[in-house]
Amino acid sequence: MSPLIKALSRILPERQVITDPLRRLAYGTDASFYRLTPEVVAVVESEEEVQAVLQVARAEGHSVTFRAAGTSLSGQAISDSVLVLIGEDLASCEIGPDAATVRVGPGMIGGEVNFRLAPFGRKIGPDPASINACKIGGIAANNASGMCCGTAQNSYRTLAGLRVVLADGAVLDTEDAYSVTRFRQSHAKLVAELQRLGDATRADQALAARIRHKFRIKNTTGYSLNALVDYEDPIDILAHLMIGSEGTLGFISRITYRTVVDDPFKASALVFFPTIEAACQAVIRLKPQPVAAVELLDRPALRSVEDKAGLPPVIRTLGNDAAALLIEVRAGDASVLQQHIDAALAALLGIDTVETVVFSTDAATCEMYWKVRKGTFPSVGAMRRTGTTVIIEDVAFPIESLAAATLDLQALLRQHGYHEAIIFGHALEGNLHFVFTQDFNEASEVARYSRFMDDICKLVIEKYDGSLKAEHGTGRNMAPFVELEWGAQAAGLMRQIKDLFDPDRLLNPGVIINDDPQAHLEHLKPMPAAEDIVDRCIECGFCEPLCPSHRLTLSPRQRIVSWRELSRRSAAGEDAADVEAAFAYYGLDTCAGCGLCSTACPVGIDTGELTRRLRGRGLGSASRQVGQWTVGHFDKMATASRIGLKLGHAVSGVVGEGLISRLSGGTWKRGMPQAGKRPAPRSGHGDPVVYFPACGGRIFGANSPDEATLPEVVMDLLVRAGYAPILPEGFDKLCCGQMLASKGMAEEAEEMANAVAEALLKAADDGHGGAYPVIMDASTCSVRMQKHLAGRIPLYDFHEFAHDALLPRLTIIRKPGPIALHINCSVRRVATDAKLRRLLEACVTEIVEPAGVTCCGFGGDRGFVVPELNAHALRKVHDALPANCCEGVSSNRTCEIGLTAETGRPYRSIAYLLEECSRCEAMAY
């Protein structure tokens, strides 16, 4: 163990010092096309721990790089030294009076802050495309913006105050007068130098004018020199220099934003133009109008998404010079919204468009437009050749030069052979993104990229005096070109600022300030072929907040990074022992396989598929034989499981739940359900409906001995609502195969699903060429069979059928609540959560849906095999449930087992609540 790691281990708990090769590799990747493997990853959960780590790093002669979510695109969140990972205890959020301000920690996800502000009709100003994954620390440190915030609502402009830890460990809270007074005394030299730099910069009229001109459009190249001309108080200068400093001047441990209005009324128009010139002429006219966003898409960008459902057919007929603008207007009420629409339409009069401009207020249409716009970037990534990377660069031009600059940029991309490239951007700010694929495996390809970057710099700087980085931060990517953009005087000023705050180059060296002209060509990330189902991954990290194992072991992105490295070593004949053994637990055993990652992934990758494939490859002959036996003898396996549950309860009654749980390694859960039983057929006079009780509800019974089983409850409801339930023939011998699929036994699972399908088709046959509806009572199994039987028979998850068909036939007496709702991952994936919510709303007046809880982590049998996954996935649920919330509902039996065990509250299928609220003898609560 190195002296550095020994020292860190003395100041941090063991779990916060990550030294194993696998996880260091995994954290060596961010969303950029660079990679550095840190010597150690130190997880910090408090400001005091940040100070301690800085002290150790300084004493041991190691640099420090701070990392929040790792969604940055320019290589500013990676290190080969000490990578400091912001922990969850730094994810604080305090909403001020009237929600006019919000004080947040660097570990908060931006979208989560907006979720908490939404009830007040407010949001934070920055709106990067990664807002549902990126964290406040990165948003502020990169001065990230987005489609709507422009330059008026970014972190720099909406900063109300911050708390920062400097390289020497000193802490300044700009909102605390006492802290400011003490800092002025303890750091008098630094404060005086900031005062001098500000005075000198403002006195230099040419330099001050140059700075103001550069920040007239979006600019994140270098430091926020506008702080020196916008503010006179050195404390204000310091605070605003921290914005966009990318962790090179200090660590922002808390920031207070002035929030902005989140208008509830919105309208969007997708407008096609015959030429880029016409589109950019429209942008100039729209600039002074009350429009919230104007997004430009060139013809290749449109071509990349033209087959998306719902888009106007004309998009496929556009000429090669065509372009489009996606325009959005917002307002506080419908009448003002119409005024804004009218103003935008008036501005477009006389400009040549392909079709008449029409704004839509339909939420689904508007959402589709914006999804298509956001889908342009991943569309290129999805089509790239295996082994190449996808690069997204962002530049900004003066808006009056936007048309010419776009054409020049298109020509430059073609000149360098990037024929697949697309251009889109935030047109109101002159901000263009261009996306292309790049192979870094050959020296000639690296040289091509180098020549292209040189020409880009000449185009942006020498011809148009634009910004080389508009909103993605300087990072390593543009550090060699800072002086080219700003000139020697301004670049020298930036070096003075770096020397003032970090004279020993302790903080994130090589980022923003870098004298190596080839720095942007070093530490390029390999993207080797691994598996066809994940080779499209662009390692953006959007998946991570949804993953139940993230921060316990690995996230989906990190699983793919790790498997790529294992695949690369295998292909190269290199030893992989240092990461291969750890990957079995970190990569495979603790993956819930829930597939939620696919819902956030820009290219739709389900990392669970990779996990299942790799689990299957690793199965031994004995495991295969057990799986094959289960296919033909599932009823025997189910019976054995029920016997095991009965024995477990018998032992638990003698020695107690706690002891049996410890002896079983966490397999026996608190509140373990009773043994299930085979449901008996129910006679009913009414509309026939086929009911297939999933095996989870047949094996695991009710939460207590005096409760009915789930199949009994469902059939009671069906009869009560006037349906005649039909149980498929031999149902107790059947299983959809989900349990085997999760273990990687795809063929065996398919055989089981085919048997269920055959039984359901037979039972649903109405004898007249039609089919009775079919319902199942476990969401995971329902979704699996819906996919299997798509287009053959109508198959519903219970909550879908209950919402559509049972509610209209039942008399409901609502309970007051509160009742907790857990929306399991299968429901989220197929987007039927709205029906589940509405079903619950029909039964109860107060609902609690804990924030920060996605998949419960039970993952079929994962909650029994690796109980720490279930505990980790539900770590945030405890604080979110009020004391008077005594029960919860969901729609998957194993999820309910894990939720019951972790919360100490009984979770049941929502069918139980619906049955309770629809009883004829129900009394008002």
Side-chain angles (χ1 to χ4, degrees):
M1 185 183 295
S2 72
L4 169 68
I5 294 173
K6 285 182 180 178
L8 288 173
S9 299
R10 286 193 292 268
I11 63 169
L12 295 175
E14 181 181 358
R15 63 180 176 81
Q16 292 175 223
V17 181
I18 298 172
T19 60
D20 60 278
L22 176 66
R23 286 186 292 167
R24 288 192 295 111
L25 167 75
Y27 281 115
T29 288
D30 64 2
S32 74
F33 50 92
Y34 299 99
R35 175 185 290 167
L36 288 169
T37 302
E39 184 174 340
V40 61
V41 179
V43 183
V44 292
E45 301 287 0
S46 68
E47 197 175 73
E48 292 73 22
E49 288 183 351
V50 173
Q51 292 174 297
V53 170
L54 287 173
Q55 183 178 4
V56 166
R58 181 182 300 279
E60 297 298 330
H62 282 71
S63 63
V64 167
T65 295
F66 301 109
R67 178 186 175 112
T71 56
S72 52
L73 292 160
S74 300
Q76 56 265 62
I78 56 174
S79 170
D80 57 2
S81 184
V82 181
L83 185 67
V84 178
L85 189 63
I86 298 173
E88 291 184 344
D89 287 352
L90 285 167
S92 57
C93 182
E94 178 186 343
I95 298 175
D98 300 321
T101 61
V102 62
R103 182 174 294 153
V104 285
M108 281 294 294
I109 292 174
E112 176 65 21
V113 179
N114 283 344
F115 176 80
R116 299 188 186 194
L117 288 169
F120 305 95
R122 310 288 293 185
K123 63 178 181 176
I124 59 173
D127 62 338
S130 59
I131 197 164
N132 290 323
C134 66
K135 297 182 177 179
I136 292 296
I139 291 173
N142 290 295
N143 197 22
S145 48
M147 287 183 278
C148 297
C149 87
T151 56
Q153 296 182 346
N154 59 23
S155 293
Y156 181 92
R157 294 297 179 191
T158 58
L159 173 67
L162 54 72
R163 190 173 171 92
V164 61
V165 182
L166 298 184
D168 62 2
V171 176
L172 169 65
D173 186 342
T174 67
E175 298 179 280
D176 184 331
Y178 179 67
S179 175
V180 171
T181 299
R182 288 192 60 185
F183 187 81
R184 288 183 187 274
Q185 295 169 352
S186 64
H187 288 68
K189 183 178 178 181
L190 185 150
V191 172
E193 184 62 11
L194 283 176
Q195 182 78 62
R196 187 193 68 77
L197 288 175
D199 290 345
T201 302
R202 291 188 297 276
D204 187 331
Q205 293 185 7
L207 178 59
R210 174 68 178 158
I211 291 170
R212 291 190 179 97
H213 173 78
K214 290 292 294 177
F215 286 103
R216 185 170 60 93
I217 58 176
K218 284 187 179 183
N219 192 321
T220 59
T221 309
Y223 290 123
S224 299
L225 293 183
N226 44 343
L228 297 172
V229 296
D230 291 340
Y231 299 95
E232 296 184 3
D233 188 317
I235 300 300
D236 288 332
I237 293 173
L238 184 153
H240 288 82
L241 280 172
M242 289 296 156
I243 303 300
S245 63
E246 302 176 30
T248 64
L249 302 181
F251 173 76
I252 299 172
S253 58
R254 195 183 67 203
I255 184 170
T256 302
Y257 282 107
R258 291 186 295 274
T259 61
V260 301
V261 173
D262 185 14
D263 289 314
F265 290 84
K266 301 178 177 70
S268 296
L270 184 59
V271 186
F272 300 108
F273 299 86
T275 63
I276 281 281
E277 291 92 334
C280 292
Q281 182 186 359
V283 172
I284 294 171
R285 289 202 193 174
L286 289 167
K287 177 72 172 175
Q289 303 304 323
V291 293
V294 178
E295 293 291 296
L296 173 70
L297 298 95
D298 75 348
R299 184 63 183 103
L302 292 170
R303 192 174 289 116
S304 73
V305 294
E306 65 184 18
D307 292 326
K308 298 286 186 181
L311 284 176
V314 71
I315 192 173
R316 299 181 184 87
T317 68
L318 297 174
N320 290 332
D321 297 327
L325 295 180
L326 177 53
I327 307 167
E328 181 168 283
V329 294
R330 300 175 177 180
D333 59 57
S335 62
V336 175
L337 181 70
Q338 187 58 52
Q339 294 173 20
H340 290 177
I341 292 173
D342 293 342
L345 291 173
L348 295 174
L349 286 175
I351 295 179
D352 191 14
T353 59
V354 174
E355 292 184 317
T356 303
V357 181
V358 177
F359 276 87
S360 174
T361 57
D362 176 65
T365 300
C366 294
E367 183 181 8
M368 182 269 296
Y369 285 161
W370 286 97
K371 278 186 176 179
V372 167
R373 153 58 186 88
K374 292 177 181 178
T376 52
F377 169 36
S379 70
V380 175
M383 294 184 293
R384 77 184 192 278
R385 180 169 51 84
T386 299
T388 63
T389 191
V390 61
I391 296 177
I392 178 171
E393 294 288 0
D394 80 307
V395 295
F397 300 100
I399 191 171
E400 57 274 13
S401 303
L402 189 60
T406 305
L407 293 171
D408 283 347
L409 186 53
Q410 287 178 326
L412 196 58
L413 287 161
R414 289 192 298 269
Q415 176 187 326
H416 287 272
Y418 297 111
H419 299 291
E420 78 290 349
I422 65 170
I423 298 174
F424 59 88
H426 318 317
L428 285 179
E429 308 300 327
N431 179 193
L432 295 181
H433 300 295
F434 51 100
V435 183
F436 57 98
T437 61
Q438 176 67 53
D439 185 351
F440 286 129
N441 296 312
E442 302 290 338
S444 60
E445 283 294 295
V446 175
R448 175 170 73 126
Y449 173 72
S450 177
R451 293 191 299 271
F452 174 64
M453 288 298 293
D454 288 343
D455 285 348
I456 281 290
C457 291
K458 292 176 184 176
L459 174 71
V460 175
I461 300 305
E462 296 178 8
K463 186 169 184 178
Y464 292 106
D465 194 18
S467 305
L468 289 172
K469 281 294 180 184
E471 57 183 8
H472 292 170
T474 308
R476 301 172 186 282
N477 184 228
M478 282 298 168
F481 305 102
V482 170
E483 184 167 335
L484 176 66
E485 174 170 337
W486 277 96
Q489 184 182 12
L493 187 53
M494 292 181 191
R495 289 189 176 86
Q496 291 181 62
I497 291 169
K498 175 66 173 176
D499 291 340
L500 180 61
F501 282 92
D502 184 26
D504 299 325
R505 295 297 193 266
L506 179 72
L507 303 179
N508 215 2
V511 169
I512 296 184
I513 302 297
N514 195 322
D515 294 327
D516 180 0
Q518 301 297 307
H520 62 302
L521 304 177
E522 297 176 357
H523 310 298
L524 299 170
K525 182 195 299 182
M527 297 287 276
E531 300 286 340
D532 59 321
I533 52 177
V534 298
D535 281 340
R536 293 172 297 134
C537 175
I538 54 180
E539 299 183 7
C540 63
F542 286 15
C543 55
E544 292 187 339
L546 298 178
C547 177
S549 65
H550 179 44
R551 291 294 182 96
L552 171 68
T553 51
L554 298 179
S555 69
R557 167 170 64 173
Q558 293 173 326
R559 285 185 170 89
I560 293 172
V561 167
S562 302
W563 187 246
R564 278 175 168 163
E565 177 62 11
L566 284 167
S567 300
R568 185 196 66 78
R569 293 191 190 186
S570 176
E574 298 178 16
D575 180 47
D578 59 339
V579 295
E580 196 166 27
F583 186 73
Y585 173 75
Y586 288 112
L588 301 182
D589 291 350
T590 54
C591 175
C594 63
L596 279 185
C597 48
S598 66
T599 66
C601 176
V603 292
I605 294 171
D606 179 358
T607 312
E609 289 187 28
L610 172 67
T611 298
R612 289 184 284 274
R613 178 181 288 186
L614 299 181
R615 283 175 182 166
R617 287 182 191 164
L619 289 174
S621 59
S623 297
R624 283 286 181 192
Q625 289 173 0
V626 171
Q628 290 162 0
W629 179 87
T630 301
V631 173
H633 304 85
F634 181 76
D635 55 335
K636 294 181 175 61
M637 193 278 290
T639 299
S641 300
R642 293 177 188 131
I643 293 172
L645 280 167
K646 290 177 181 178
L647 289 173
H649 276 289
V651 174
S652 176
V654 176
V655 303
E657 268 191 344
L659 179 58
I660 191 173
S661 177
R662 289 193 296 274
L663 291 175
S664 66
T667 298
W668 188 265
K669 303 294 181 185
R670 175 172 60 166
M672 197 75 158
Q674 304 297 307
K677 57 185 178 181
R678 186 181 190 276
R682 189 73 58 88
S683 61
H685 302 286
D687 299 325
V689 59
V690 177
Y691 169 44
F692 179 65
C695 61
R698 303 196 317 258
I699 294 173
F700 298 104
N703 286 346
S704 61
D706 57 340
E707 280 186 340
T709 65
L710 176 58
E712 290 171 336
V713 170
V714 171
M715 286 195 285
D716 279 345
L717 279 167
L718 292 172
V719 172
R720 186 177 301 166
Y723 288 96
I726 302 169
L727 293 173
E729 183 180 343
F731 69 89
D732 204 36
K733 297 181 179 181
L734 300 174
C735 165
C736 73
Q738 178 64 32
M739 58 178 288
L740 295 186
S742 67
K743 294 176 173 56
M745 301 183 190
E747 293 180 6
E748 294 85 350
E750 185 70 8
E751 187 176 346
M752 297 184 83
N754 287 337
V756 172
E758 183 179 345
L760 294 181
L761 288 167
K762 181 179 179 181
D765 187 352
D766 66 1
H768 303 287
Y772 301 130
V774 178
I775 63 172
M776 295 177 65
D777 57 18
S779 295
T780 303
C781 305
S782 301
V783 170
R784 176 174 171 81
M785 291 309 301
Q786 283 173 338
K787 184 178 179 180
H788 199 82
L789 286 165
R792 291 196 277 176
I793 54 173
L795 194 153
Y796 303 92
D797 197 2
F798 172 78
H799 75 276
E800 297 177 278
F801 189 80
H803 175 276
D804 296 346
L806 298 187
L807 278 182
R809 297 188 179 196
L810 296 173
T811 300
I812 307 294
I813 299 177
R814 299 172 81 197
K815 293 180 66 172
I819 291 180
L821 171 64
H822 176 73
I823 299 174
N824 67 69
C825 45
S826 295
V827 173
R828 292 181 189 274
R829 279 205 324 272
V830 296
T832 60
D833 48 311
K835 287 187 177 183
L836 182 56
R837 288 191 186 93
R838 288 196 293 267
L839 180 59
L840 182 55
E841 288 166 358
C843 298
V844 66
T845 56
E846 185 180 354
I847 299 169
V848 178
E849 190 175 340
V853 178
T854 54
C855 171
C856 70
F858 212 86
D861 67 350
R862 294 295 90 188
F864 296 124
V865 179
V866 279
E868 63 270 27
L869 175 61
N870 183 219
H872 178 78
L874 294 177
R875 66 198 181 280
K876 296 179 181 179
V877 75
H878 308 286
D879 292 338
L881 294 178
N884 64 336
C885 180
C886 300
E887 61 179 308
V889 296
S890 190
S891 60
N892 212 67
R893 192 67 187 104
T894 51
C895 298
E896 293 149 16
I897 293 171
L899 287 157
T900 298
E902 288 302 317
T903 67
R905 297 165 170 85
Y907 273 74
R908 305 178 297 175
S909 167
I910 196 169
Y912 282 89
L913 182 64
L914 181 61
E915 190 280 326
E916 182 181 345
C917 293
S918 63
R919 291 174 189 166
C920 295
E921 67 274 16
M923 299 174 62
Y925 291 93

